[in-house]
Amino acid sequence: MSTDVSSLTAQDLELLQRPLYGFLSVAGGPLPPQPRPVWFEVTAEDTIQLFTGPDTLKVRRLRRDPRASIVVTAPVGERERWLSITGRTTVEPDGAHDLAARLAARYWNLDDPARADDLAGILAAVWVRLVIHPETVSRYMY
């Protein structure tokens, strides 16, 4: 295992650009933490972003304490590999719908009418964008 302060390597970016689930934990929650699976996107600025409802428990917790972490792992059948990113998180009022549309295209086949309807339902709702600004990056690669 290795740990770097806030830097993502080319190998990290390759893993993060795949349609994998991330497991998000926020500070101020129950002990032990209870991560939740999320869709996510790594940005050109090496931040991690996701979308969620503006009144969710995670948003309320992040407004009190902006620390969060996300863990992403390679799927079963591949060599063992994971990445953990922790840092300050901002709650952004803009960009969530565009992000949701990009992530839906990444994770779903939008040619499937059921998935296209699911996306329409998502886009009809109100969302905020969470942005994790990496402070510590830990990784393991077998």
Side-chain angles (χ1 to χ4, degrees):
M1 184 177 93
S2 69
T3 301
D4 290 325
V5 177
S6 74
S7 61
L8 295 174
T9 68
Q11 290 178 323
D12 296 340
L13 293 171
E14 182 273 325
L15 182 69
L16 293 171
Q17 291 168 346
R18 295 174 58 190
L20 301 169
Y21 290 108
F23 293 88
L24 178 73
S25 296
V26 299
L31 291 175
Q34 299 175 357
R36 298 292 187 255
V38 295
W39 289 353
F40 67 91
E41 176 182 79
V42 63
T43 70
E45 296 79 27
D46 287 351
T47 61
I48 304 297
Q49 60 182 0
L50 53 127
F51 68 97
T52 192
D55 300 319
T56 61
L57 182 57
K58 67 176 123 331
V59 168
R60 291 193 303 274
R61 288 181 175 152
L62 287 168
R63 291 194 191 283
R64 287 192 305 264
D65 185 337
R67 295 174 299 150
S69 69
I70 189 167
V71 174
V72 178
T73 182
V76 172
E78 293 185 17
R79 293 188 66 95
E80 289 73 19
R81 181 174 168 194
W82 58 259
L83 184 65
S84 173
I85 300 167
T86 60
R88 179 184 55 83
T89 303
T90 56
V91 179
E92 305 291 341
D94 63 327
H97 285 93
D98 289 340
L99 176 61
R102 284 194 308 276
L103 290 175
R106 175 179 169 180
Y107 287 87
W108 291 341
N109 174 3
L110 294 176
D111 291 333
D112 177 342
R115 289 302 192 182
D117 286 346
D118 291 341
L119 175 57
I122 289 171
L123 296 178
V126 176
W127 304 101
V128 294
R129 189 168 48 96
L130 303 181
V131 181
I132 302 173
H133 303 268
E135 294 170 359
T136 304
V137 178
S138 300
R139 62 187 59 80
Y140 175 82
M141 189 180 302
Y142 182 75

